[in-house]
Amino acid sequence: MRDGSSAPVVSLSNVSRVYPTDPPVRALIDVDLSIESGDWLAIEGPSGSGKSTLLNVMGCLDRQTEGTYRFEGVDVADLNDRERAGLRSRRIGFIFQSFHLLRHRSVLENVMMAEVYRHQSRRGRSERAMAALDRVELTHRADFLPTRLSGGEQQRVAIARALLGSPGLLLSDEPTGNLDSTTSGRILDLLDGLHDEGLTIVMITHDSEVAKRARRRVHIRDGRLEEAS
Amino acid sequence: MRLLPFRRRTSKFQRSGISAVDLADEASAGLFARPGRMVLTVSGTVIGIAALVATLGLARTTGNRILGRFDELAATEIFITTQTAADGTTQEWLPWDAPERMQRLNGVVAAGSLTSVDTNGALISTSPISDPTSQTEFELPVQAASPGLFKAVRANLATGRFLDGGNSVRADRMAVLGSGAAIRLGITSVAQMPALRIGDDVYLIVGILDTVARQQDLMGAVIIPEGTARADYGVTSPELVVVETQIGAAALIAQQTPLALRPDNVAALKVASPPEPKRVKDAVVNDLNTLFLLLGGVSLLVGAIGIANVTLVSVIERTSEIGLRRAIGATRTHIAAQFLLESTAMGFIGGIVGASLGSIVVVVVAAVQGWTPVLDPMTPLLAPIGGAVIGLVSGTYPAMRATRMEPVMALRSGG
Ligand SMILES: Nc1ncnc2c1ncn2[C@@H]1O[C@H](COP(=O)(O)OP(=O)(O)OP(=O)(O)O)[C@@H](O)[C@H]1O
Ligand SMILES: [Mg+2]
């Protein structure tokens, strides 16, 4: 690895995750995966196959029990908690199946929250949040409470939040899981557009129709990863 | 950025952090998301602090009231006598015009002199004929007073009038009786112009005293004009000068007195002035106060448990929020800080509102009773701090619970 900028965004080698339950659950087994900048990757697999576990490791929300994970060339095992939190805040955008918007905060405030843990000046924050909302075409809902939005709109707010500060990686766990097929289509169109703009996207899904939209697909079964042909 | 790999690695990802403004913002948003609940949660602390502030304030107020009435008299009086020599004989003297000289000093309300008259054992009677069946002759003290004395001792008349300057100048044989002396002599009214005899001299009784605030001895005495005492009994010098001052002026006037009365020998006089006005430092705590303090303490405890309980519920309710915050860069410390700030703020608000309510209670009660409300100036400072500490302590356990939540687990709960 000569330079961070040419290193893959995500590089997993021999990564395993064993939950120390009784009996222990081997949720990930010897996973090797490399994601280059600008990739759009779908991770497919049945329920319980280890998809979320893999995503949590990639998002630095969880630690692998074996193997090495390099993010943008940096071995994350060498980072302390605050540095990992900083990495999550600045370099990774998260999108969840259940949106995870704060009910009592306006759409704009929900998007602005992405900057709160970056110890960043508040100057220009609402303008930046509005720009992110513009990318998901929701500026007209800025002052709404999320509870008054449709599921698709809520997920777009979550995407706007994830986009704030231009992350190097967008991680989404079943982003269309709670949405009907038409709405899902719009969200996937949106991700397509972001991919075209050069964003690196990883999407988990158990739905092969959804996975088809990605440029690259990998399957996971019983914790083992296999690349689709 | 082609530095050593190690250097590059540590500088590549900035640590997460939150500014004070943002933390305050997040905490207040968390609090005001459920305003009704916050009000209910805070009410326990409000009641507790209000009870404590009111109890302490009322104890202060009543304590001050007793002291104030007592003080007012003592703080405005000066007694001037001459120094007594070691052998007990009085060698020094006071000038006859001492009351007038004192009156000239700034802040003197009234001044008068008083001298006990040695009648050489002469008895006092009211009837010209001695009646062997009942006692008609008494051994009563006779006091000579300057005209200003009556005001200086705050004398009130039951009937008649005081002795005035003219009586003294003309050495009139007139007397005012203390109420006790009047009873012994059997005189209740001056309408019939009663008289009394001191030895063989006849004195017209012009007034009877009802009360005096100072020199209670006067109530049992026969009081005659100073000029008369000088003429009839050869009194050489006033024995005592009583001075009433304005509040706060006593100490200064006492200082000026020796020079004003005896510029020739400032050491000749003994000036008794009130001690420095002292406030009761520790509040008067009676049984009722103890009870209220106990009640205040209990409601504070209940308030603290309330805050702890609600914060804990809120931590559990906001599990998914905690997960999200961890995902967008919060560390465990940031999560703990937010919940601690929320509970501390609740305690702080409770302290402010409670102190205000407690103060209002003190003011209202004092107004109704006609007292001067007295509050420790530290109260408005300490009450919110105390409330904040209660909130901080109450929030500790819930905040610890929040930090123990794993982000993965927290995110799993639906948002
Ligand atoms: N905290 C945990 N402790 C023990 N076992 C766990 C834990 N989390 C997940 N597992 C187990 O690990 C395996 C993989 O779980 P994971 O959540 O990654 O599956 P998934 O592919 O995301 O499934 P789904 O599609 O249902 O979300 C499962 O067998 C699950 O029961
Ligand atoms: Mg899952």
Side-chain angles (χ1 to χ4, degrees), chain A residues 215-227:
Chain A
R215 299 298 126 82
R216 179 181 163 202
R217 295 162 72 173
V218 293
H219 287 268
I220 188 165
R221 195 159 284 113
D222 297 331
R224 289 182 196 278
L225 199 73
E226 53 202 44
E227 195 104 9

Side-chain angles (χ1 to χ4, degrees), chain A residues 4 56 72 74 78 82 85-86 88-91 94 100 102 104-105 116-119 122 125 161, chain B residues 8-9 12-18 22 26 29 33 320-321 324-330 408 411 413:
Chain A
N56 291 333
E72 294 181 346
V74 175
D78 293 341
R82 275 189 78 177
R88 289 199 297 272
S89 183
R90 287 167 216 272
R91 302 303 305 147
F94 290 92
H100 283 293
L102 299 192
H104 302 284
R105 315 286 287 272
V116 160
Y117 296 100
R118 291 176 196 165
H119 208 303
R122 289 148 71 98
R125 186 179 291 175
R161 180 179 62 198
Chain B
R8 196 195 61 202
R9 197 204 70 218
K12 178 142 190 177
F13 303 117
Q14 282 184 53
R15 300 186 305 171
S16 82
I18 184 167
D22 275 333
E26 294 304 311
S320 111
E321 176 187 329
L324 172 81
R325 288 182 184 278
R326 294 297 299 277
I328 62 170
V408 173
L411 282 165
S413 79

Side-chain angles (χ1 to χ4, degrees), chain A residues 53-107:
Chain A
T53 304
L54 179 57
L55 195 90
N56 291 333
V57 168
M58 283 198 274
C60 287
L61 293 167
D62 193 10
R63 290 173 194 263
Q64 73 275 20
T65 43
E66 271 167 69
T68 311
Y69 171 30
R70 288 178 188 279
F71 183 88
E72 294 181 346
V74 175
D75 187 343
V76 298
D78 293 341
L79 302 180
N80 64 28
D81 280 350
R82 275 189 78 177
E83 287 167 333
R84 286 162 62 91
L87 188 162
R88 289 199 297 272
S89 183
R90 287 167 216 272
R91 302 303 305 147
I92 301 177
F94 290 92
I95 303 171
F96 306 98
Q97 180 173 352
S98 50
F99 321 136
H100 283 293
L101 300 176
L102 299 192
R103 271 182 296 164
H104 302 284
R105 315 286 287 272
S106 73
V107 162

Side-chain angles (χ1 to χ4, degrees), chain B residues 160-184:
Chain B
R161 65 172 179 85
F162 293 127
L163 300 165
D164 59 28
N167 300 141
S168 190
V169 169
R170 293 186 299 268
D172 289 338
R173 291 215 169 128
M174 288 182 175
V176 166
L177 299 180
S179 59
I183 289 168
R184 288 189 70 185

Side-chain angles (χ1 to χ4, degrees), chain B residues 41-116:
Chain B
T41 311
V42 167
S43 61
T45 316
V46 168
I47 293 168
I49 300 251
L52 288 180
V53 168
T55 309
L56 292 175
L58 285 175
R60 265 281 160 121
T61 301
T62 51
N64 182 75
R65 181 183 55 94
I66 295 159
L67 200 73
R69 190 176 283 174
F70 180 71
D71 257 1
E72 199 265 324
L73 187 68
T76 56
E77 64 190 12
I78 299 175
F79 298 106
I80 307 155
T81 51
T82 53
Q83 291 287 4
T84 315
D87 59 9
T89 58
T90 307
Q91 299 161 331
E92 285 296 345
W93 48 271
L94 273 163
W96 285 111
D97 63 347
E100 287 76 35
R101 291 197 205 182
M102 291 307 294
Q103 200 79 61
R104 264 178 249 132
L105 296 179
N106 206 8
V108 170
V109 175
S113 57
L114 192 63
T115 313
S116 50

Side-chain angles (χ1 to χ4, degrees), chain B residues 183-395:
Chain B
I183 289 168
R184 288 189 70 185
L185 293 169
I187 293 172
T188 53
S189 156
V190 293
Q192 308 301 317
M193 300 184 73
L196 59 75
R197 288 192 311 148
I198 306 175
D200 293 327
D201 300 330
V202 178
Y203 283 74
L204 185 67
I205 300 170
V206 296
I208 298 173
L209 298 180
D210 182 26
T211 57
V212 291
R214 305 187 169 106
Q215 300 300 113
Q216 297 298 331
D217 299 358
L218 289 176
M219 300 314 278
V222 174
I223 306 157
I224 62 172
E226 204 168 65
T228 315
R230 289 169 72 181
D232 288 2
Y233 296 98
V235 175
T236 54
S237 153
E239 214 171 66
L240 169 74
V241 176
V242 179
V243 182
E244 157 130 1
T245 72
Q246 283 168 7
I247 290 178
L252 191 64
I253 290 169
Q255 257 177 33
Q256 300 167 342
T257 297
L259 205 61
L261 299 187
R262 288 292 302 274
D264 58 313
N265 180 7
V266 287
L269 303 183
K270 202 156 79 181
V271 181
S273 61
E276 277 303 298
K278 62 166 192 254
R279 294 263 161 257
V280 222
K281 279 285 182 292
D282 25 23
V284 185
V285 179
N286 57 28
D287 290 349
L288 197 67
N289 286 337
T290 315
L291 183 70
F292 272 112
L293 286 178
L294 212 66
L295 277 177
V298 168
S299 35
L300 268 190
L301 190 68
V302 172
I305 294 170
I307 291 181
N309 199 26
V310 170
T311 310
L312 190 60
V313 168
S314 140
V315 162
I316 290 160
E317 271 180 359
R318 288 156 69 183
T319 300
S320 111
E321 176 187 329
I322 293 167
L324 172 81
R325 288 182 184 278
R326 294 297 299 277
I328 62 170
T331 59
R332 290 177 202 276
T333 314
H334 296 146
I335 299 292
Q338 183 179 339
F339 281 101
L340 281 178
L341 195 58
E342 287 185 21
S343 65
T344 305
M346 282 200 276
F348 185 73
I349 294 168
I352 291 177
V353 177
S356 314
L357 286 182
S359 305
I360 290 171
V361 168
V362 173
V363 170
V364 167
V365 170
V368 168
Q369 300 284 339
W371 301 337
T372 313
V374 182
L375 274 171
D376 194 317
M378 288 305 278
T379 305
L381 261 173
L382 284 181
I385 292 176
V389 169
I390 288 169
L392 183 69
V393 171
S394 310

